[in-house]
Amino acid sequence: MTFKTTKTHAVHGGTLRYLTHDSTATGTPMTLSVYMPPGEGPFPVLIWLSGLTCTEDNFTTKAGAYSAAAEHGVIIVAPDTSPRGEGVADDPAYDLGQGAGFYVDATQEPWVPHFRMETYVTGELIALIDAEFPTTGTRSISGHSMGGHGALTLALRHPDLFRSVSAFAPIASPTRCAWGEKAFTAYLGDNRSLWAGHDAALLIESGAARGRFDEILIDQGDADSFLTDQLKPELLQAAADAVGQGLTIRMQPGYDHSYFFMASFMADHVAFHAARLKD
């Protein structure tokens, strides 16, 4: 097996494994968790992408996803948010470098040798999961904040890989917020025309989702401190309205940006994907 198991837990009748492997995409060891529901399978897969500063462990321990995954018979794969380790570029700030890969393939130094998270998720990780676990070969994708941006953009850029996509409090248009502008300048350079291909609102506006996803599900807390300046879900809504893309944005009163918010609505997202993975 390519993966090395570091920890195993029984959860809701299934098995949770923490895994490591040597990645050819990033040139570093990568870590992830995989939840296998009870039964022999094969099962469809839901890939979860986490947000700034997170590892694979934040979702695994805080999201409360595994009861729903067991009920619906879905494997959940949660990779780390970036390459890490000695010799891997980093930045003192929380929103750049290790823990902040933004799910793009960097083209600029010093990031380009290792920061290839788009290739890692859509190429290497998917292939390894399908090769080494009892999957049906079908999958969906979801995520939170930076990971919500990643889920949306990777689904829109690689629609043949995913049956459905959802997000919690995603960075809707990173070309129009400080988090995205900082990360894209560092990873992709100053040519803003290249950034548009990694902006969910602009991708939807260009028609990337048309005919691919019947509905995109977004949950957003209205007490989220990042809502106005960084997340801007209204830009997603405007893009979807412009091209007739199915989009549901559920503004959740009183909820913030934390995992308490995600845990409150996670079962809805697992069910949303399970319904589309069984078609």
Side-chain angles (χ1 to χ4, degrees):
M1 190 176 190
T2 300
F3 296 115
K4 177 183 177 181
T5 301
T6 59
K7 290 188 291 185
T8 303
H9 302 280
V11 187
H12 291 291
T15 304
L16 173 68
R17 293 181 177 89
Y18 286 86
L19 306 171
T20 66
H21 72 106
D22 292 327
S23 169
T24 58
T26 68
T28 67
M30 292 295 291
T31 58
L32 65 149
S33 69
V34 176
Y35 176 73
M36 289 289 300
E40 296 183 359
F43 305 106
V45 174
L46 175 60
I47 295 176
W48 171 269
L49 304 182
S50 291
L52 289 167
T53 76
C54 291
T55 70
E56 77 286 351
D57 196 44
N58 298 76
F59 172 85
T60 306
T61 58
K62 296 179 180 179
Y66 299 138
S67 175
E71 176 186 350
H72 293 286
V74 175
I75 295 171
I76 299 186
V77 177
D80 198 355
T81 53
S82 78
R84 300 179 192 267
E86 187 176 351
V88 176
D90 201 7
D91 188 272
Y94 76 95
D95 53 358
L96 189 66
Q98 296 185 37
F102 268 81
Y103 305 101
V104 300
D105 288 352
T107 62
Q108 305 297 305
E109 296 293 346
W111 314 104
V112 67
H114 303 296
F115 279 72
R116 303 183 67 241
M117 289 301 293
E118 178 172 13
T119 293
Y120 174 69
V121 173
T122 61
E124 185 175 17
L125 180 63
I126 285 173
L128 288 175
I129 294 296
D130 282 348
E132 301 200 18
F133 289 90
T135 79
T136 60
T138 57
R139 68 199 67 80
S140 296
I141 191 165
S142 186
H144 168 237
S145 194
M146 178 188 72
H149 141 77
L152 291 169
T153 58
L154 295 187
L156 293 167
R157 287 169 61 82
H158 305 274
D160 292 342
L161 292 178
F162 305 103
R163 289 281 187 89
S164 53
V165 58
S166 73
F168 290 83
I171 303 172
S173 187
T175 63
R176 291 173 278 187
C177 75
W179 278 342
E181 289 178 345
K182 178 179 180 178
F184 284 5
T185 299
Y187 297 143
L188 304 175
D190 293 328
N191 185 350
R192 295 179 70 97
S193 66
L194 300 178
W195 299 3
H198 301 278
D199 182 306
L202 295 179
L203 284 165
I204 290 173
E205 190 176 88
S206 74
R210 189 178 296 118
R212 300 291 189 170
F213 304 110
D214 64 324
E215 191 75 14
I216 298 171
L217 175 62
I218 306 290
D219 271 303
Q220 173 65 62
D222 72 359
D224 190 322
S225 60
F226 303 114
L227 176 58
T228 301
D229 293 336
Q230 302 284 11
L231 305 178
K232 304 183 180 183
E234 69 277 4
L235 298 177
L236 281 180
Q237 189 66 68
D241 290 346
V243 298
Q245 169 61 41
L247 174 70
T248 297
I249 299 180
R250 305 194 306 186
M251 294 298 296
Q252 302 292 0
Y255 285 88
D256 57 19
H257 201 67
S258 72
Y259 268 87
F260 296 111
F261 158 56
M262 284 176 274
S264 300
F265 304 102
M266 185 60 67
D268 292 350
H269 284 246
V270 174
F272 170 84
H273 293 297
R276 288 155 178 81
L277 286 164
K278 292 175 181 176
D279 288 345

